[in-house]
Amino acid sequence: MSVSFIGKLYCTTIDWFLDWPKEALLEVAFNFLGTVEVLATITGAPRGFDVDSISLSESELKLCIANIFTIIHHSVGEYSKMMILELKRYNYVTPTNYLELVTGYKETLHKKRIEVADKANKLRSGLFKIDDTSEKVAGMTVDLEKATKIVQAYTMECDEFLSVILKQTSIADQQKTEVDEKSIKIKEEIVCQELYRLTMIDLKKALPALEEAMEVNNYLINNIDLLQLVFIRISNINIYLL
C-alpha cells in the first residue's frame, strides 16, 4: 500500500491555478494600461474617439480595452474546461498568460506606433516634396511661358534679320559681279597703258631717226632740181661709157 501511495503521489499534479474573478482581471488590465496613452497621435495633437456618436474619454477607452482582455482570458478558461471534459486534455490558463497578454498588447501598440510614425513621416516627407515640386513646376511653367514668348519674339526678329541678310547678300552678289567686271576692265586698261608706255618709249627712240629722215626729205625736196641734173649727167656718162 505504501509503495502504491508513493507512486500515486509522484504521478499526481496539484492544480494551483485558480481562476481570477472578472473584477480582478479588469483591475489588473486597467492598472497596466495606466501608462499607455490610448488616444495619443503621431503628431501629439489631441484626438477624440466616437462610438455610435458617443464620445469616449481616455479612461473610458482604457476601461473598454481592459474589459476586452478580461473577456478573452475568461473565455479561454471556459473553453479549456470544455476541452478537459471532451478531450481529457488540460490547457492551463494562468495569470502569467493574462499578464503576457496585456504587456504584449502594450509592446505591440508601441512597435506599431513607431512603424506607423515612420511611415507617416515618410508619407509627410513625400507629400512635402510633391508640394514643393508642384510649386517649382508651377514656377517653371510660368518661366517657360515667358521664355516661350521671348523665343517667339527672337524668332520673328531672326526671320526679319534673315530676310534683310538675304537681300543684302543678293545686293552684295550684284556688287561683286560689277566689281569683277570693273576689275577686268581695269586690268585691260592697265595692259593698254603699259602698251602705250612701251610704244611711247619706242617712239621716243625712233623720233631722232624720223627727224633726220624728215630733214633729209626736206633737203631733197628743196634740191630736187639739182638732183635731176645730177641724175641726167650720170645717165649720160653711163650712155657714153656704153
Side-chain angles (χ1 to χ4, degrees):
M1 290 294 293
S2 61
V3 176
S4 177
F5 177 75
I6 294 173
K8 290 181 180 180
L9 183 61
Y10 281 127
C11 295
T12 302
T13 301
I14 301 174
D15 189 0
W16 297 99
F17 305 112
L18 302 177
D19 294 336
W20 282 9
K22 290 184 178 181
E23 292 78 7
L25 296 174
L26 185 63
E27 185 68 21
V28 170
F30 187 78
N31 290 331
F32 266 83
L33 294 174
T35 58
V36 179
E37 295 180 0
V38 181
L39 294 178
T41 58
I42 299 172
T43 58
R47 180 184 63 179
F49 187 82
D50 298 334
V51 178
D52 296 333
S53 301
I54 299 174
S55 180
L56 297 177
S57 63
E58 181 87 14
S59 60
E60 291 174 345
L61 186 58
K62 289 180 181 180
L63 186 60
C64 292
I65 296 172
N67 193 19
I68 292 172
F69 291 154
T70 302
I71 294 172
I72 292 172
H73 186 78
H74 184 71
S75 62
V76 171
E78 293 296 326
Y79 277 99
S80 296
K81 292 177 182 179
M82 292 174 59
M83 190 170 65
I84 293 172
L85 296 176
E86 294 177 1
L87 302 176
K88 305 299 180 181
R89 294 185 61 181
Y90 287 88
N91 180 45
Y92 297 103
V93 182
T94 65
T96 304
N97 300 132
Y98 184 69
L99 296 177
E100 289 176 353
L101 173 64
V102 178
T103 55
Y105 169 77
K106 291 174 63 178
E107 292 175 357
T108 304
L109 179 63
H110 180 67
K111 290 180 181 179
K112 291 299 179 181
R113 278 183 174 175
I114 293 175
E115 292 178 2
V116 172
D118 184 54
K119 292 180 180 179
N121 290 330
K122 291 181 180 179
L123 178 62
R124 189 179 297 108
S125 177
L127 293 175
F128 175 76
K129 289 181 180 179
I130 290 173
D131 293 337
D132 185 49
T133 304
S134 299
E135 292 178 359
K136 290 181 179 179
V137 168
M140 292 173 66
T141 302
V142 175
D143 295 337
L144 181 61
E145 292 177 354
K146 294 180 181 179
T148 302
K149 293 180 181 179
I150 294 172
V151 169
Q152 290 177 354
Y154 283 152
T155 302
M156 294 176 64
E157 291 180 0
C158 289
D159 293 336
E160 294 176 357
F161 286 148
L162 182 61
S163 62
V164 172
I165 289 171
L166 291 174
K167 291 180 181 179
Q168 292 179 352
T169 303
S170 62
I171 294 171
D173 292 336
Q174 293 177 358
Q175 291 178 351
K176 183 177 181 299
T177 303
E178 294 176 357
V179 169
D180 292 337
E181 293 176 355
K182 289 181 180 180
S183 298
I184 294 171
K185 291 180 180 180
I186 290 171
K187 289 180 180 179
E188 292 177 353
E189 290 179 357
I190 291 172
V191 172
C192 292
Q193 289 178 359
E194 183 66 21
L195 292 174
Y196 175 75
R197 186 180 66 80
L198 296 175
T199 303
M200 291 301 295
I201 292 171
D202 294 336
L203 181 60
K204 287 180 181 180
K205 292 180 180 179
L207 277 176
L210 180 61
E211 290 176 353
E212 291 179 358
M214 290 295 293
E215 290 178 356
V216 171
N217 187 28
N218 292 329
Y219 178 78
L220 292 175
I221 291 171
N222 293 327
N223 299 297
I224 189 168
D225 295 333
L226 180 60
L227 290 173
Q228 289 178 354
L229 181 60
V230 172
F231 181 73
I232 292 170
R233 287 182 178 181
I234 292 172
S235 298
N236 292 328
I237 292 171
N238 290 330
I239 293 170
Y240 178 76
L241 291 174
L242 292 173

